Amino acid sequence: IKLISMAISHALQPLLLLLLSLFFLPAALGAFVNFTNCGLSNIDRGINATSVRINPYPLGIGENATFTITANSTINITAGNIELDTYTSTTVPLVLHRVRKTYSLCNVTACPVTAGLIVFNFPIVIPRNNRVTNQSEYFAIIRMYENIIYQTMCFAFTYPTRKP
C-alpha cells in the first residue's frame, strides 16, 4: 500500500505543475486580445491585423510592455512611420489623456515589408498620471498612412491595466 501511495504521489506532481502553469503562464507570455481593423473599407488597406497580443497582461501603468501585432500585407513598403495612440477607455472626448507614440516602420518590424505575413512589436509604457491611474481599461489605435488621406493600416483594441 505504501508503494501505491508513493506512485500516486509521484503521478500527481506533474499534474500539479501543469495546473499551476495554466494560471501563471498566460501572464508571463502575455495574452491575445480582441481587436478590429478600422473602418468599412479594410479590404482596400494594404495591411490587416490577424492577432494582437499584449505582454505582460494585464499591462501595468508605468511599466514596460509590448504590443505584438500579426498581420497580412498585400503591399510592399520600404519605410514610413506608424502612430500608436492610447487613451483611457472612459475618456470623453477621447483626445483627453491621449498618449501618442510614433515609430519608424523599420524599428518595429523587418524592412522592407513584402506581401505576406508581417509581425510588428511595439514597445509601450503608459505613463503614471494621477488623473488616470485608477482606470482599469485603455483603448489603443495603431495607424499608418501612405499619404494624408489613405490609411495603409489601422486597427484598434482595448486592454486591461493593473495599478502599479
Side-chain angles (χ1 to χ4, degrees):
I1 293 181
K2 187 174 183 181
L3 187 59
I4 293 171
S5 175
M6 287 178 58
I8 291 173
S9 174
H10 288 304
L12 289 178
Q13 287 176 352
L15 182 60
L16 181 61
L17 288 173
L18 176 65
L19 289 174
L20 287 174
S21 70
L22 290 175
F23 290 105
F24 295 107
L25 196 56
L29 296 177
F32 289 95
V33 296
N34 292 331
F35 68 94
T36 182
N37 286 293
C38 309
L40 301 174
S41 62
N42 59 358
I43 293 172
D44 296 332
R45 285 206 180 84
I47 299 174
N48 289 295
T50 57
S51 71
V52 175
R53 189 181 69 189
I54 299 172
N55 189 18
Y57 185 87
L59 187 146
I61 301 294
E63 298 176 6
N64 293 327
T66 303
F67 295 158
T68 301
I69 315 295
T70 304
N72 286 316
S73 176
T74 59
I75 58 175
N76 297 331
I77 306 171
T78 57
N81 289 324
I82 300 173
E83 292 177 351
L84 186 152
D85 289 327
T86 189
Y87 315 85
T88 59
S89 64
T90 58
T91 301
V92 178
L94 287 176
V95 294
L96 298 176
H97 306 168
R98 178 182 72 186
V99 175
R100 173 171 277 177
K101 178 112 170 126
T102 301
Y103 301 87
S104 169
L105 174 70
C106 298
N107 287 339
V108 294
T109 193
C111 281
V113 171
T114 57
L117 180 67
I118 182 171
V119 177
F120 299 98
N121 288 297
F122 296 95
I124 184 79
V125 175
I126 303 302
R128 288 188 172 105
N129 179 327
N130 290 337
R131 296 178 308 218
V132 297
T133 53
N134 291 330
Q135 299 299 318
S136 60
E137 189 173 68
Y138 278 70
F139 172 78
I141 187 163
I142 299 173
R143 296 182 190 98
M144 182 174 185
Y145 295 90
E146 183 176 318
N147 55 45
I148 295 172
I149 298 172
Y150 180 74
Q151 290 182 342
T152 305
M153 70 179 186
C154 179
F155 30 90
F157 54 94
T158 58
Y159 57 94
T161 58
R162 58 183 161 72
K163 293 181 182 179

